Amino acid sequence: MKLILCFAVVLIQAIACLAECDISPFIGVADDGSLMTRAFGFKGQWSEVKGSCCVKSVAVMKDCSLIGVGEDGALYIKAKPGVGKWMGPIEGSCCVQDVEVMPDGTIIAITDNKRLVYRKTLESPWKKAPRSRSVIRVDSLPDGKLVGVTPQGTMKVRDGLKGKWKYFKSRLFKADDIAVQPDGVILGIKKKACSVHVQTDRGTWTEGIGDDVCVKSITSAGNMKNLEVPEPTEAPVEPVKPKPLSARLVGLFGLKNGEMYERNKDGSWSLRNADGMVSIAPLKSGAMYGVKKNFLVYKPNKESPWRLASGACCTNAITVLSDGTVMGQGNPHMNYRVGGIDDGHWSPGIAGSQFTSNIAPLPDGGMLGVRYGKLVSRPGIEGVWTDVPSNNLPVLKAVAADSDGTVVAIDTSCRLWANAKYDDPEWQPMENSWEDCMTELAFAA
């Protein structure tokens, strides 16, 4: 009976539950919302659990009952995958897209707008975790840390509910979903694929499994004991020597007198347009956001004309965060874009965000800014600005950050400064002339 119960459990993270269910099948959610089990890990085949439709995400409570996210974004409960129907919705549990249960029984979830929320019991109301708007999937490590997946498929980690999201090593792999076993081993579904992989201690991923069944969510009920896990097929990764800072500033754009320039390999600047912008946010896709006379404008590619966004007024500066959120600097508070270019609007001003002259997105979801000439940072939309210590930076005008962590700033004397990491107190001056004095800087996001 215990063996049958273990096959029914979706995710086991509580020690009390593991005592009854310590085996290692994989459990997934199929495209149609049905539960799938894989009884023998990598050696097995997916089998549909009849009558288990329809959920978007599932987890297990401390008593081994199931909790799931329905198609309406609310929570539902079920005694076992193959027994009975989903019961719910749980009152006040909408609207989430992913759910998990921490080892202490705390229920954690990701809302539709990527905010981490939690409740101590099924009946408790949702509470917002601070500095949390960054990921779309979440799970809990045995030490209480949380690991998440961004919309782009990269991974982040934070120190529990009160921490902030930071970079998590995951080499050459982007995920649609992840699951953490009780022993801390991480499983992942490769982005835009059906294969399940296991992360190694080095941050690399094993060769995946895949067949004719596609799962959009994955959990693991127990540890993989005595199972043959496919070994990585790629050659050992040799350490890559970082490029000199001067060579890492390619792809840097600047504004001067309303005209946009791009920095060349030799350190010179080339004029790219003369559109009268006061702020720019170029994207690697070729699209671009801009601010013209306090209005948000957009062009889908370099050849297209600028067009006015709906609800465009009023902002002084613009940037695009790592998760795609469009941020603006209003007068005097920051705000962010809700909805698309044609049907969107600016959010109300964000408390504690005023008097920042420009914003630069960091790879971990945080932001840099210049405030009263000093470099400041904040962990995300819900954070607060704090000074970034530096030993040699003069009074600044603007700052920009690239996706690899490279940061560049320009001071009031028009000199460029660069750093491999924004929190390294030692910055390096770069060649730049007074004629090339930019009022804003931006890397393509």
Side-chain angles (χ1 to χ4, degrees):
M1 184 63 183
K2 290 183 180 180
L3 186 60
I4 297 175
L5 177 61
C6 289
F7 274 107
V9 174
V10 173
L11 178 63
I12 300 167
Q13 291 181 316
I15 300 301
C17 189
L18 287 176
E20 294 186 69
C21 313
D22 193 10
I23 63 168
S24 51
F26 293 165
I27 310 297
V29 177
D31 282 339
D32 65 357
S34 298
L35 298 182
M36 310 292 295
T37 60
R38 196 178 184 99
F40 299 103
F42 281 100
K43 293 181 178 181
Q45 297 291 323
W46 289 115
S47 299
E48 180 180 357
V49 179
K50 300 298 182 181
S52 60
C53 188
C54 295
V55 291
K56 298 188 292 185
S57 173
V58 288
V60 70
M61 302 291 285
K62 290 191 70 173
D63 62 0
C64 291
S65 62
L66 303 185
I67 183 171
V69 177
E71 294 178 325
D72 58 356
L75 296 181
Y76 291 75
I77 56 173
K78 201 177 195 298
K80 299 177 183 178
V83 178
K85 297 180 179 181
W86 287 104
M87 304 295 290
I90 303 299
E91 184 177 355
S93 63
C94 191
C95 294
V96 298
Q97 57 179 309
D98 189 46
V99 68
E100 253 316 327
V101 180
M102 298 180 67
D104 65 359
T106 300
I107 302 168
I108 55 176
I110 302 296
T111 66
D112 290 343
N113 63 354
K114 302 186 291 292
R115 186 190 296 276
L116 175 65
V117 294
Y118 65 97
R119 52 174 61 192
K120 290 296 183 180
T121 67
L122 279 173
E123 296 76 23
S124 303
W126 287 122
K127 293 184 178 180
K128 299 175 183 177
R131 304 176 294 275
S132 66
R133 187 178 282 142
S134 184
V135 302
I136 59 173
R137 297 289 183 268
V138 68
D139 208 335
S140 178
L141 293 167
D143 60 4
K145 292 182 179 179
L146 303 182
V147 61
V149 178
T150 70
Q152 294 76 30
T154 56
M155 294 174 63
K156 294 187 175 183
V157 66
R158 62 183 282 150
D159 293 327
L161 295 170
K162 304 301 181 182
K164 65 177 183 178
W165 291 113
K166 299 178 181 179
Y167 169 78
F168 186 77
K169 66 177 181 178
S170 176
R171 295 182 182 176
L172 305 176
F173 187 85
K174 291 189 175 182
D176 274 332
D177 192 26
I178 55 169
V180 180
Q181 295 185 157
D183 60 3
V185 172
I186 299 175
L187 310 178
I189 299 177
K190 191 171 184 180
K191 194 170 183 65
K192 297 181 180 180
C194 296
S195 53
V196 180
H197 304 250
V198 179
Q199 190 182 45
T200 68
D201 293 338
R202 297 175 298 161
T204 58
W205 293 79
T206 64
E207 189 74 12
I209 58 171
D211 45 34
D212 57 349
V213 176
C214 191
V215 292
K216 59 185 180 182
S217 180
I218 180 72
T219 60
S220 177
N223 301 323
M224 291 186 301
K225 294 181 178 179
N226 304 317
L227 293 180
E228 295 181 8
V229 179
E231 292 296 328
T233 57
E234 72 264 19
V237 179
E238 295 295 330
V240 178
K241 294 183 179 180
K243 295 180 180 179
L245 281 174
S246 58
R248 293 164 68 174
L249 302 190
V250 176
L252 177 66
F253 292 82
L255 274 182
K256 182 179 69 171
N257 299 327
E259 298 176 344
M260 186 175 74
Y261 294 78
E262 185 173 6
R263 186 174 170 87
N264 302 313
K265 291 182 179 180
D266 62 1
S268 63
W269 295 86
S270 295
L271 181 64
R272 290 293 178 246
N273 64 25
D275 290 323
M277 296 292 154
V278 297
S279 183
I280 52 170
L283 306 180
K284 287 186 170 66
S285 65
M288 185 173 294
Y289 292 92
V291 175
K292 191 171 186 177
K293 296 181 179 180
N294 298 118
F295 288 89
L296 176 66
V297 292
Y298 172 80
K299 59 193 309 183
N301 54 64
K302 294 180 180 180
E303 291 72 30
S304 301
W306 289 101
R307 59 190 180 93
L308 190 68
S310 66
C313 188
C314 299
T315 189
N316 304 319
I318 192 75
T319 195
V320 179
L321 302 185
S322 58
D323 64 359
T325 300
V326 179
M327 292 293 304
Q329 182 66 49
N331 189 15
H333 294 86
M334 287 197 312
N335 46 20
Y336 59 90
R337 186 80 177 167
V338 178
I341 287 298
D342 296 320
D343 59 356
H345 62 278
W346 290 110
S347 72
I350 300 170
S353 65
Q354 63 268 38
F355 309 126
T356 307
S357 58
N358 91 303
I359 314 163
L362 292 169
D364 64 1
M367 289 176 262
L368 290 178
V370 175
R371 196 176 194 185
Y372 304 124
K374 294 182 178 181
L375 185 66
V376 292
S377 69
R378 64 188 290 146
I381 293 176
E382 303 301 323
V384 294
W385 290 113
T386 56
D387 290 343
V388 176
S390 64
N391 294 336
N392 56 341
L393 276 181
V395 179
L396 300 179
K397 291 197 300 183
V399 65
D402 203 359
S403 57
D404 65 355
T406 303
V407 183
V408 61
I410 190 166
D411 65 24
T412 53
S413 299
C414 301
R415 172 172 280 190
L416 284 177
W417 298 80
N419 208 335
K421 297 188 299 181
Y422 79 92
D423 54 358
D424 185 339
E426 299 296 334
W427 288 67
Q428 297 182 25
M430 300 284 112
E431 290 296 328
N432 201 52
S433 67
W434 175 262
E435 291 78 12
D436 293 325
C437 194
M438 302 295 159
T439 56
E440 184 176 284
L441 301 170
F443 282 100

